[in-house]
Amino acid sequence: MTTADTTPPLRIGLLGTGPWARNTQAPALAAHPGVELSGVWGRRAEAADALAAAHGTRAYTGEEGIDALLEASDAVAFALPPDVQAPLAVRAAEAGCHLLMDKPVATTVAGARAVAEAAEKASVASVVFCTLRFAPETSAWIAEQAAVDGWFTARAQWLGSLYAAGSSSEYADSPWRRAKGGLWDVGPHALSVLIPVLGDVEHLTAAAGPADTTHLILRHTSGASSTVTLGLSAPPGAAGVEIELRGERGTTSIPGWAGAETAFRGAVDALAEAVRTGVPHPCDARFGLHLTVLLAAAEEQAQAAG
């Protein structure tokens, strides 16, 4: 005879109603067997009503709605621009809610530091959703490579065609993404793979390429170096993701992954585990702060060189 699991579901509220919330976060949270989607907050009442109705939960709006959703939740997930996310994450931590944040945590070091310090002070768990760290296929590959010594160099390329001529992606309407470009949008993904495998970044050089493209040269604490190319304006035929490692054991490339919703479910599982055990996840708010420090330094260098 097996004993039924009596662990209550983790009540997670969702802040945001845009494409990322609609396409990924709300469906993943609503379908997760260990989660109760405790509500959806949006700046536009009609958007919050529609998304909440689609997933059988309650809609919240306005300043008072934020407080009400925090009160009804054990944790909150964010589908908001980073510099809107950061102060609300501080507010959520101060209310005792665990944090499931999108990358980047903020686009300023001060904003990201405030989140990390608030989470630490409140003793709440936190996870920053860097897709490749949570998709089953890629997270397993990262762990396997991190356990191997002797890496010599790496090459990471993440090029999207969000702003290419003829693009119809609804994510292209994001003002923060257009303003900050590929460095801030997809840079966290690439760094979240390279750092656990090659070690922390001890020296960084950045230069601007065409449109919003940024090139990075990194030296890591392991002694390995890596190059990174990031952008959202590549021609469709040039778009794609490649991460390749070269070392004593030869060459290996990151595998494909199933999709964002599956990866986000993995991040939900990671947050639940951190809540249960009290052991911080490697991709927590402190790691989110570290990524912001690196990206801000790269942005400053690229702008100065340009």
Side-chain angles (χ1 to χ4, degrees):
M1 176 182 293
T2 58
T3 303
D5 184 4
T6 58
T7 304
L10 189 66
R11 301 174 303 160
I12 302 182
L14 176 58
L15 292 164
T17 59
W20 185 239
R22 294 196 308 271
N23 299 337
T24 301
Q25 293 198 10
L29 291 169
H32 196 292
V35 167
E36 175 191 334
L37 179 56
S38 50
V40 173
W41 176 87
R43 287 172 283 190
R44 294 183 298 112
E46 62 275 20
D49 288 341
L51 190 57
H55 296 285
T57 190
R58 181 178 173 183
Y60 297 84
T61 194
E63 282 294 310
E64 69 285 354
I66 297 173
D67 293 328
L69 181 57
L70 296 179
E71 178 67 26
S73 305
D74 304 309
V76 284
F78 295 86
L80 295 168
D83 295 324
V84 177
Q85 169 179 249
L88 288 179
V90 170
R91 184 169 167 180
E94 291 173 345
C97 290
H98 306 290
L99 309 174
L100 181 49
M101 294 173 285
D102 202 12
K103 55 73 207 166
V105 170
T107 64
T108 67
V109 173
R113 180 174 289 116
V115 175
E117 290 177 350
E120 185 174 357
K121 182 178 180 180
S123 297
V124 297
S126 58
V127 165
V128 179
F129 180 54
C130 296
T131 304
L132 302 183
R133 293 293 290 272
F134 298 101
E137 306 89 343
T138 53
S139 63
W141 181 86
I142 293 166
E144 181 182 351
Q145 311 320 315
V148 175
D149 292 326
W151 294 117
F152 182 69
T153 190
R155 176 180 60 85
Q157 190 164 270
W158 194 305
L159 291 172
S161 57
L162 207 62
Y163 300 125
S167 171
S168 59
S169 172
E170 57 187 337
Y171 295 103
D173 294 332
S174 164
W176 86 264
R177 192 172 276 111
R178 185 173 289 277
K180 304 302 281 187
L183 174 66
W184 287 91
D185 187 31
V186 297
H189 294 311
L191 292 171
S192 76
V193 174
L194 296 173
I195 289 172
V197 177
L198 303 181
D200 202 0
V201 176
E202 61 180 16
H203 187 269
L204 177 153
T205 302
D212 74 307
T213 305
T214 303
H215 301 283
L216 308 179
I217 302 173
L218 310 175
R219 187 173 68 233
H220 298 266
T221 52
S222 66
S225 64
S226 63
T227 60
V228 185
T229 298
L230 308 162
L232 299 175
S233 303
V241 178
E242 298 177 4
I243 301 178
E244 177 188 81
L245 303 168
R246 291 178 176 266
E248 293 174 357
R249 299 179 183 232
T251 302
T252 181
S253 297
I254 199 165
W257 62 96
E261 187 176 336
T262 300
F264 190 74
R265 285 199 298 268
V268 174
D269 291 337
L271 181 68
E273 180 71 5
V275 170
R276 185 183 69 81
T277 64
V279 177
H281 189 273
C283 287
D284 64 358
R286 188 62 60 178
F287 182 69
L289 167 59
H290 185 50
L291 291 179
T292 302
V293 170
L294 293 173
L295 295 170
E299 181 180 60
E300 183 178 3
Q301 278 199 33
Q303 290 176 346

